Amino acid sequence: MINSHYIPRLILKKFSDDKEHLIYADLIHQKCEIRRLDSVFSKKGYYSDDLEHDLSKSIESRFAQLLNDNLLKSKDQIILSREELFLLKKFLLIGSLRKSFTRDEIETRNGSAVDEFVYERNKKFFESRMDEILKCNTSEELLKFCDTKCEEMIDNGLLRAIKRIVYGYMSFVSTEICGENLIISDCACGYWYGERPFAKLDLIFNSKSPYAIGLLDKIDPADYVYFPISKHLGVLAISPIFRKEYGIFDVKKYSKNGLEKRLGFDDKHLLNAPAVTFSETGVRTPNKYVYKKTQLSLKNAIFFNILTMQTSCKFIAFSNYEKVKSSIESYIKNQGMKHDLSFIANHFRHE
């Protein structure tokens, strides 16, 4: 059987040290180990051989080139073609779906019991839904697939995942200046739901924007989903509700504390939509998307690491404890956290 990574090896390499080692923290058994990449976030036979091949050929090899040649080399801004933006969104979508959660893991994440029928149904369609997404070559095809599933009234989690990625707009964040490394977890991403899961509906129904009602079928409860893709680079897929040009959410009305309470971070630059250039043909088709990379303050870098750790199920990983120490210590000090991470601090305190 093939050893399958549910967090792609190409991503893990961007968090590891020069020898391709990671500090792997087991949150259930409360122990830390230095491991090679082959033995982290992986399991033999996790996927069928066919799906493992398709993941590598259809998405991972292509995204690796985009990551290495563009995303990680770009300095103050990231420029993506329409095709590259779709590739990024498709990779993130697959990334949010490629872990098969046990019932205990789902209940731990959601904080409530899982319906037996729903769990068994989702388990049955685990590989087939990824296979269908891999076959989609445009956002339009993904949305058509989404409509088909909606008509069948199955897999609402998949429908939400597609909507939050396809309709969300990207924001890139960096920790190169603040110096705090980002942490990776077994869930690949972290979700932020704000004060209330459906608080965005208040923004829509209280807005006079002509765009407002049209967004009702384009949102899901999450305000954004955050993906760390290297130790210094993260990507957010943000709900279209927060796009300035739609006139629904006015960031100017929020102080730093108010914005932090609403979205978890206090830097309004994270909400900036890309500048778009168009082709010179008669059809007004987007050609290039220009994103400004936001340098995170230490406070905001810690916040995103806490979001990663809070969303994780069983494992987190990093390559240098000193570079994530502030984040882990902040998590430990916070009240009501899901995991007890004091074993990590104790492990390195006694080394």
Side-chain angles (χ1 to χ4, degrees):
M1 290 188 293
I2 296 176
N3 183 44
S4 300
H5 282 87
Y6 49 88
I7 303 296
R9 185 185 175 91
L10 73 95
I11 293 295
L12 297 177
K13 287 176 67 175
K14 306 308 177 185
F15 288 85
S16 67
D17 62 18
D18 294 339
K19 296 181 179 179
E20 295 194 355
H21 289 146
L22 279 170
I23 298 167
Y24 199 48
D26 184 331
L27 309 184
I28 304 301
H29 299 99
Q30 298 207 320
K31 63 180 181 179
C32 291
E33 296 178 312
I34 297 176
R35 290 198 188 183
R36 293 190 60 81
L37 300 190
D38 289 343
S39 67
V40 298
F41 303 116
S42 65
K43 184 179 180 181
K44 287 187 176 181
Y46 198 82
Y47 306 127
S48 67
D49 290 355
D50 287 342
L51 179 59
E52 182 70 32
H53 174 267
D54 290 343
L55 284 168
S56 176
K57 182 179 178 181
S58 299
I59 191 75
E60 291 179 0
S61 59
R62 295 171 58 212
F63 182 77
Q65 184 175 359
L66 175 64
L67 180 64
N68 293 326
D69 296 345
N70 185 341
L71 302 182
L72 295 180
K73 285 186 177 180
S74 299
K75 294 185 178 180
D76 297 330
Q77 63 181 23
I78 290 173
I79 302 175
L80 299 176
S81 67
R82 191 179 186 189
E83 293 75 20
E84 288 171 331
L85 178 59
F86 175 73
L87 175 60
L88 170 64
K89 288 192 172 188
K90 186 175 177 179
F91 180 82
L92 298 181
L93 176 58
I94 288 290
S96 69
L97 296 172
R98 62 188 293 162
K99 186 180 190 309
S100 179
F101 294 99
T102 65
R103 185 181 290 103
D104 288 344
E105 287 173 337
I106 295 174
E107 291 177 347
T108 298
R109 293 178 78 207
N110 297 346
S112 59
V114 176
D115 181 86
E116 179 74 18
F117 172 76
V118 172
Y119 173 74
E120 291 298 331
R121 181 194 63 197
N122 289 349
K123 183 179 178 182
K124 178 181 178 181
F125 291 108
F126 171 63
E127 288 206 3
S128 65
R129 65 184 185 179
M130 282 193 288
D131 183 60
E132 290 295 326
I133 289 172
L134 286 172
K135 293 176 182 176
C136 295
N137 295 311
T138 64
S139 293
E140 290 73 20
E141 290 180 12
L142 272 175
L143 293 172
K144 184 177 180 180
F145 169 61
C146 187
D147 289 341
T148 300
K149 291 298 179 184
C150 188
E151 289 176 2
E152 296 174 3
M153 295 299 289
I154 63 170
D155 212 344
N156 288 330
L158 174 61
L159 306 184
R160 293 196 301 271
I162 292 175
K163 285 187 176 183
R164 72 169 64 104
I165 300 296
V166 172
Y167 289 123
Y169 67 101
M170 304 291 104
S171 178
F172 294 88
V173 296
S174 171
T175 64
E176 290 173 344
I177 292 180
C178 77
E180 188 80 352
N181 283 358
L182 297 176
I183 293 171
I184 189 73
S185 85
D186 52 1
C187 294
C189 56
Y191 302 92
W192 177 261
Y193 292 94
E195 298 170 289
R196 292 181 291 116
F198 292 95
K200 293 188 296 301
L201 293 180
D202 293 339
L203 294 174
I204 289 177
F205 291 127
N206 293 327
S207 173
K208 297 179 181 179
S209 168
Y211 293 100
I213 299 300
L215 292 176
L216 281 174
D217 65 344
K218 297 180 179 180
I219 62 172
D220 80 303
D223 289 338
Y224 58 83
V225 55
Y226 157 72
F227 296 84
I229 58 175
S230 85
K231 64 179 68 173
H232 290 303
L233 184 66
V235 188
L236 281 73
I238 304 174
S239 171
I241 288 292
F242 301 105
R243 291 190 69 138
K244 178 181 178 181
E245 60 268 38
Y246 288 174
I248 298 170
F249 179 84
D250 187 358
V251 72
K252 294 179 181 178
K253 293 182 178 180
Y254 289 79
S255 63
K256 270 199 164 188
N257 288 338
L259 189 64
E260 182 180 358
K261 182 179 180 182
R262 181 65 181 80
L263 292 171
F265 52 79
D266 63 9
D267 188 344
K268 65 182 180 181
H269 294 100
L270 271 69
L271 298 177
N272 287 344
V276 183
T277 63
F278 295 89
S279 59
E280 296 180 358
T281 62
V283 180
R284 190 170 169 79
T285 303
N287 184 34
K288 297 287 185 181
Y289 298 83
V290 183
Y291 297 86
K292 290 184 178 179
K293 189 189 296 183
T294 302
Q295 289 291 338
L296 294 177
S297 65
L298 177 59
K299 177 181 178 181
N300 286 330
I302 289 172
F303 162 72
F304 283 113
N305 273 339
I306 288 176
L307 192 61
T308 295
M309 292 184 282
Q310 187 69 350
T311 309
S312 64
C313 288
K314 293 182 178 179
F315 303 102
I316 62 172
F318 46 88
S319 60
N320 185 332
Y321 176 69
E322 291 301 318
K323 292 290 187 177
V324 298
K325 182 178 178 180
S326 296
S327 297
I328 291 175
E329 289 183 346
S330 294
Y331 187 97
I332 293 170
K333 291 176 183 177
N334 271 312
Q335 299 294 319
M337 293 290 99
K338 184 171 68 174
H339 303 294
D340 177 8
L341 301 187
S342 58
F343 74 95
I344 300 177
N346 291 335
H347 175 87
F348 289 96
R349 189 176 296 123
H350 295 135
E351 272 201 336

